[in-house]
Amino acid sequence: MFFLLTKELKKGLIQDFVDALEEANLILFIDFTGMNVPLSHQFRMELYNNFGEDVIYKVYRNSLLKTAIKLSKKSEDEFEPFLTGPTAVLSAKNVDPIEVLKFVKKFSDSQKGLPFIKGGILEGQIIDSEKANEYAKLPSKQELYAMLVRSVNYPIFGLVNALAGNIRNLIYVLNAIKDNK
């Protein structure tokens, strides 16, 4: 099925990407070459199931992305490596960007490298494919919170065990004395 993009639809797509450039804490440029329709649908559904409407995945024409970049007064040269071949854009706001990177990396690894992250923008910084994969290995906010709670609780837990151990030992000594008499 082939359809033409009307001027209004093109303007809407361009404005959507300009808004994403301003508001999203993560934007990924994704090469979806080799993904068939069922796999693409599965990727979209898993994104929605994990992140809801906070993560949006759209396929764009590179010419529309270039126009949006010009309108947002960003440097086209920085984005040029990402705008070759088929390009989809994943934008995330109101979610932990590392969680999204981890999800995309995990999905890609399970599907023999599909989809492929070309690069993107993380918290205002342009990242390439290598950096995206490195960031995907970092712990998420939830994992960092859990690590922090464990590190705060550990000394308290140790103190409670030490005090309980002394009381336990005292009870053993008293029971031994009672058994001897």
Side-chain angles (χ1 to χ4, degrees), residues 110-123:
S110 73
Q111 301 299 326
K112 300 176 186 161
L114 297 175
F116 175 74
I117 300 172
K118 297 179 184 183
I121 306 169
L122 175 64
E123 300 289 346

Side-chain angles (χ1 to χ4, degrees), residues 62-81:
N62 289 332
S63 60
L64 294 179
L65 292 173
K66 289 176 184 178
T67 303
I69 291 167
K70 284 179 191 173
L71 288 174
S72 66
K73 297 182 174 99
K74 303 236 184 238
S75 170
E76 286 181 66
D77 297 336
E78 294 177 319
F79 293 94
E80 195 61 40

Side-chain angles (χ1 to χ4, degrees), residues 63 81 99 105 131 141:
S63 60
E99 287 272 340
K105 176 80 169 108
K131 284 282 187 198
K141 282 184 183 177

Side-chain angles (χ1 to χ4, degrees), residues 136-155:
K137 295 175 186 173
L138 293 174
S140 67
K141 282 184 183 177
Q142 292 300 325
E143 293 168 333
L144 288 173
Y145 289 148
M147 293 164 78
L148 177 66
V149 168
R150 275 194 304 270
S151 66
V152 168
N153 279 342
Y154 185 74

Side-chain angles (χ1 to χ4, degrees), residues 21-49:
L21 283 172
E22 294 171 3
E23 299 170 3
N25 54 2
L26 175 69
I27 294 177
L28 294 177
F29 297 96
I30 295 177
D31 184 349
F32 57 91
T33 303
M35 287 180 71
N36 57 24
V37 173
L39 183 60
S40 182
H41 181 69
Q42 177 187 353
F43 181 61
R44 288 175 192 265
M45 290 307 298
E46 287 186 25
L47 274 171
Y48 183 78
N49 290 338

